[in-house]
Amino acid sequence: METLLYDQNVELTTTQTMKALVYHGPGKKAWEDKPVPTIKAPTDAIVKIVKTTICGTDLHIMKGDVPTVTDGRIIGHEGVGIIEEVGKGVTNFKKGDHVIISCITSCGKCEYCKKGMYSHCEDGGWILGNLIDGTQAEFVRIPHADNSLYPIPAGADEEALVMLSDILPTGFECGVLNGQVKPGDTVAIVGAGPIGLAALLTAQFYSPAEIILIDMDENRLVVAKTFGATRTINSGAENTIDKIKSLTKGKGVDVAIEAVGVPATFELCQEIIAPGGHIANIGVHGKSVMLHLEKLWSQNVTITTRLVDTVTTPLLLKTVQSKKLQPNQLITHHFKLSDIVNAYETFGNAAREKALKVILTNE
C-alpha cells in the first residue's frame, strides 16, 4: 500500500493495486495492474487467491464466443483462497477462513435459488469472470459470500479442491445427472478434456456397464483409460459411428454426453444415441448446431442443457474427503499466478503439451 504524507500530519491512502489477467477482446489478454476489489455490499467477501486455474470456458471467452464478457474484465471463475475481509451481512465466514470459490454466485433467496437453480440466481449466476471481475487475480470480490463460498476442512488438499469450483460439479450435474446415468447403462462421453474426464469420474458413482470416451487426442484417451473408461475411440483415426454401432449391436448408447461445445460433437451425439436415450449437453457452444429432428422426433430421445448450479458441491466435497473421488488426478501442470500468460499457452495447446488442468499459485 502506498501512502502520501501531507503537512498537517494527515495520512492519505492511495488505491491499492494488484495484478490480474485482463481480457481486451478476442485473442487479447494482459497481465496488468488493477485496483484491489473492495466491499460493495454487506453480503460481500474479499478473498485472497491462493490457487486458481484456467477453464475451457475461458478459452471460449478468448475466442470471442461469450459476448457478455467485455473489454477490461478480469476473467476466471475457479479457485481457493483465504478471506481477507467480509461485509457486515456475512455470517458464515470470517477473516482468515480458507474457502472454495464456487463458479456460480447465488443469493439463496430468490425464486430460482429456491428451486436449486443457482445458475439463474436473480442477483448472481455465472457472473465471476463474466459480468464481474473474476479469480485470475491476486484478490477477488465474492458477492453473496454465505451461499457462494464453501469452507475448506482442515488438512484438505487445497490444490485438489480447486476442481470443486467448477469442473467436477459441471461434469456431474450437466452430464451425469442430466443424462440420468443408471446401473448397466452404456455411456459415451464425447470429449476427453477436463470436463469430459470429470463426467467420467462421477459417472462411476452409478455403475454403468460401459463408459466409452471419444476424442482425437490419443494422450487424453490413454488418461481416460486410467480414470475408468472401459473403451476409447480416437475419432480422428476411426469411424466413430460405425464403432459405436458395432459395440452396441446397432442400437447406440443409452447416454451421450457432449463435452466439447462444437457443432460436430453435438451432431455425433445425435448419431450414436439409442431410442429412449439421453443426450446431455455440457459444452459451451459459440455457434449454431444442427438438430436432426427429422430422425429424432420418433426416437423418445431426451436432450438436456444446463449451466452448472453447483448444488452438488457439498456432496462432492464429502466424496473427495473420503477418498472416493480424487480430483488431483486431473492436474498436469503447475505455474506461478504471475506466469499465467504462459499457462494459457500450455492449456490452449493441450494436445501438444499433454495438459489437462493447470494450477496457478499466488506466491
Side-chain angles (χ1 to χ4, degrees):
M1 179 185 296
E2 299 177 22
T3 58
L4 298 175
L5 291 176
Y6 286 82
D7 286 341
Q8 284 109 2
N9 293 324
V10 175
E11 187 176 67
L12 299 178
T13 304
T14 63
T15 301
Q16 285 184 290
T17 61
M18 66 175 182
K19 289 290 188 179
L21 189 78
V22 183
Y23 173 78
H24 289 298
K28 299 176 183 177
K29 59 184 178 293
W31 179 247
E32 60 188 57
D33 289 330
K34 293 283 280 187
V36 171
T38 57
I39 297 291
K40 292 185 177 180
T43 52
D44 287 351
I46 306 300
V47 178
K48 179 181 180 180
I49 294 294
V50 173
K51 294 179 185 292
T52 185
T53 186
I54 302 169
C55 181
T57 302
D58 298 326
L59 298 184
H60 280 282
I61 290 171
M62 288 300 173
K63 289 192 294 184
D65 289 345
V66 188
T68 50
V69 182
T70 54
D71 187 357
R73 176 69 62 232
I74 298 171
I75 62 173
H77 50 267
E78 302 165 271
V80 297
I82 302 171
I83 291 184
E84 190 78 7
E85 183 183 1
V86 296
K88 293 180 180 179
V90 176
T91 59
N92 292 341
F93 300 98
K94 64 183 183 305
K95 179 179 173 65
D97 285 349
H98 289 236
V99 292
I100 300 167
I101 298 166
S102 176
C103 65
I104 298 296
T105 300
S106 55
C107 71
K109 299 177 180 179
C110 70
E111 179 180 354
Y112 288 113
C113 283
K114 287 180 178 179
K115 293 178 181 178
M117 290 176 61
Y118 293 169
S119 61
H120 292 274
C121 173
E122 294 173 4
D123 192 37
W126 174 40
I127 58 175
L128 281 177
N130 178 12
L131 302 179
I132 67 172
D133 287 337
T135 59
Q136 289 171 13
E138 294 178 316
F139 296 88
V140 63
R141 180 179 70 91
I142 304 297
H144 300 297
D146 277 341
N147 215 54
S148 305
L149 298 171
Y150 295 88
I152 293 178
D157 180 355
E158 296 193 5
E159 193 165 279
L161 295 185
V162 173
M163 305 302 113
L164 288 182
S165 286
D166 183 356
I167 65 164
L168 279 171
T170 296
F172 186 44
E173 294 175 16
C174 305
V176 177
L177 294 184
N178 265 18
Q180 296 188 24
V181 175
K182 301 181 297 299
D185 275 354
T186 297
V187 179
I189 301 173
V190 183
I195 288 289
L197 293 175
L200 165 62
L201 289 172
T202 53
Q204 293 171 68
F205 293 165
Y206 297 96
S207 301
E210 293 265 18
I211 308 179
I212 305 165
L213 262 289
I214 302 166
D215 203 292
M216 299 176 70
D217 184 336
E218 191 61 36
N219 175 66
R220 288 186 165 183
L221 293 175
V222 170
V223 171
K225 289 284 280 188
T226 69
F227 283 13
T230 56
R231 297 180 186 271
T232 60
I233 299 173
N234 188 322
S235 54
E238 53 189 321
N239 186 307
T240 305
I241 297 170
D242 289 348
K243 184 72 171 180
I244 291 288
K245 294 296 184 182
S246 70
L247 291 173
T248 59
K249 299 180 180 179
K251 295 179 181 178
V253 299
D254 300 301
V255 181
I257 296 173
E258 198 288 325
V260 182
V262 297
T265 50
F266 187 79
E267 189 146 346
L268 176 59
C269 288
Q270 296 177 72
E271 293 289 343
I272 63 174
I273 197 69
H278 289 77
I279 298 173
N281 183 81
I282 305 177
V284 177
H285 290 272
K287 296 180 180 178
S288 296
V289 301
M290 185 72 74
L291 178 61
H292 289 288
L293 277 179
E294 77 281 5
K295 295 179 181 178
L296 297 178
W297 72 270
S298 62
Q299 296 302 299
N300 295 40
V301 168
T302 300
I303 299 174
T304 58
T305 66
R306 186 170 183 175
L307 182 57
V308 63
D309 293 301
T310 67
V311 291
T312 62
T313 301
L315 176 157
L316 292 169
L317 180 57
K318 290 178 181 178
T319 63
V320 172
Q321 286 299 102
S322 68
K323 309 296 185 184
K324 297 287 177 63
L325 188 62
Q326 299 182 36
N328 54 355
Q329 297 176 90
L330 295 163
I331 301 166
T332 56
H333 291 72
H334 292 79
F335 294 86
K336 294 180 181 179
L337 181 58
S338 58
D339 200 23
I340 192 169
V341 173
N342 286 330
Y344 262 89
E345 181 68 18
T346 296
F347 188 65
N349 292 281
R352 183 186 73 201
E353 302 292 341
K354 297 184 177 180
L356 293 174
K357 290 297 281 185
V358 304
I359 289 290
L360 299 147
T361 301
N362 181 16
E363 298 179 339

